[in-house]
Amino acid sequence: LVVLKLGGSVITVKEEPLKPDEATIKRLASEVAASGVEELVVVHGGGSFGHPIADRYSIHEGFREPGQLRGLAETHLAMEELNKLVVEALIAEGVPAVPLPPLSCFTTRRGIISKAFLAPLRALLALGAVPVLYGDVVMDEELGFTILSGDQIVAHVALSLAATRVVLALDVDGVFNKDPKKHPDAVLLEVLRPEDVPSVEAGEVAAVDVTGGMARKLSEMARVASAGIPVFFTSARKPGNVLKALRGEKVRGTLLTSKC
Ligand code: ATP
Ligand code: IP8
């Protein structure tokens, strides 16, 4: 089983609200189709669909007043729209993709997954389908509601289903010692151990991001790698990278692993 996260920074133009990058979505769908991975779960991020609306209504901070309910609905609807684009692109390439809305199968407690109903996911995989999940609004046992990141979903699914590998498709080449967008002298970390994650300088994401950007992504992925599941970060901006990463072939990026 491979779990692939398509970063919101790749499938949308993250600085422009509600702007998908349809050409990239189409290319990535064709790379997924060509990879031939038999058991695959796809998770995608929010990019400029999820984050700006969630931020406007402070959905990630939990329920404070009824006016936020409109934001809850709008955030979910925006994510459904983005999910539709991803799923349609995958289907057009012959991938048996099926949307799986996280609002209906996860709850959290103070932002951390508390309950997960994975039976539909397992059943879809058993039939050879490719479930497509995404960062979403979820109901929270203490906060009322919050935002669950695609990264936390990736970690939960990979750990619960004992994935063989996780691939994270980003808008940068991998994990650097500091944010490559702000520091031209940043160095790509080709291999990273979970215990070295705290020493990585994770910069704030330039666009609106309510789920903690690279710092939170790294801590979620460190949990996965610590359990013995390798996580590979690569740039989905470069054609062919995701295809090779899915096949387990060598490509520029960062391997986060406890086995080195
Ligand atoms: P989304 O949360 O919308 O799904 P994503 O998963 O694609 O987005 P981001 O949360 O935007 O990814 O994180 C990627 C960004 O993290 C990069 O664009 C980069 O500028 C930033 N970043 C900060 N610190 C680092 C670092 N040390 N190495 C690599 N990228 C970093
Ligand atoms: O982009 C957040 O998921 P992420 C999704 O994976 C929303 O962090 C709705 C903001």
Side-chain angles (χ1 to χ4, degrees):
L1 172 74
V2 181
V3 181
L4 168 68
K5 160 112 192 263
L6 300 175
S9 62
V10 173
I11 60 172
T12 73
V13 180
K14 206 158 166 174
E15 292 74 23
E16 284 185 50
L18 299 175
K19 191 162 172 115
D21 183 341
E22 293 194 64
T24 301
I25 293 174
K26 188 175 178 333
R27 175 176 53 76
L28 289 173
S30 74
E31 293 189 28
V32 168
S35 72
V37 171
E38 278 181 11
E39 235 193 331
L40 178 69
V41 174
V42 175
V43 180
H44 65 78
S48 68
F49 279 69
H51 293 278
I53 308 174
D55 185 54
R56 192 180 325 135
Y57 289 90
S58 302
I59 302 300
H60 53 302
E61 290 168 8
F63 178 77
R64 285 188 200 143
E65 48 93 15
Q68 285 175 295
L69 291 173
R70 182 188 170 124
L72 179 82
E74 281 184 15
T75 307
H76 180 69
L77 285 175
M79 288 308 302
E80 277 193 329
E81 253 177 67
L82 182 59
N83 182 252
K84 186 164 180 270
L85 295 177
V86 173
V87 171
E88 280 175 349
L90 287 166
I91 289 173
E93 295 293 333
V95 177
V98 180
L100 202 53
L103 172 59
S104 311
C105 50
F106 292 98
T107 56
T108 55
R109 176 180 286 267
R110 298 207 73 78
I112 309 296
I113 292 174
S114 53
K115 294 195 185 77
F117 180 54
L118 296 182
L121 178 94
R122 291 180 197 273
L124 284 166
L125 283 172
L127 295 179
V130 174
V132 186
L133 300 89
Y134 46 94
D136 199 1
V137 292
V138 287
M139 303 318 291
D140 187 285
E141 290 169 23
E142 285 188 26
L143 303 173
F145 49 66
T146 193
I147 298 292
L148 174 62
S149 72
D151 297 326
Q152 198 184 143
I153 295 173
V154 166
H156 190 89
V157 169
L159 291 167
S160 305
L161 276 71
T164 341
R165 230 142 28 84
V166 168
V167 174
L168 289 202
L170 301 175
D171 66 338
V172 288
D173 282 349
V175 182
F176 290 70
N177 61 338
K178 47 192 173 180
D179 189 347
K181 285 196 186 151
K182 292 184 193 137
H183 304 276
D185 63 334
V187 177
L188 179 70
L189 306 170
E190 289 187 7
V191 182
L192 183 62
R193 290 174 306 165
E195 57 269 35
D196 295 331
V197 159
S199 66
V200 175
E201 190 184 310
E204 296 268 309
V205 175
V208 182
D209 190 305
V210 299
T211 50
M214 182 53 75
R216 189 71 198 274
K217 189 185 299 300
L218 280 173
S219 67
E220 291 295 343
M221 293 311 127
R223 291 199 293 134
V224 176
S226 297
I229 302 168
V231 180
F232 193 71
F233 301 73
T234 193
S235 170
R237 291 250 171 263
K238 303 197 174 143
N241 275 7
V242 168
L243 170 65
K244 287 189 187 139
L246 286 174
R247 285 180 173 164
E249 292 170 12
K250 200 168 159 43
V251 60
R252 185 170 159 83
T254 299
L255 176 64
L256 173 60
T257 177
S258 54
K259 297 172 186 160
C260 64

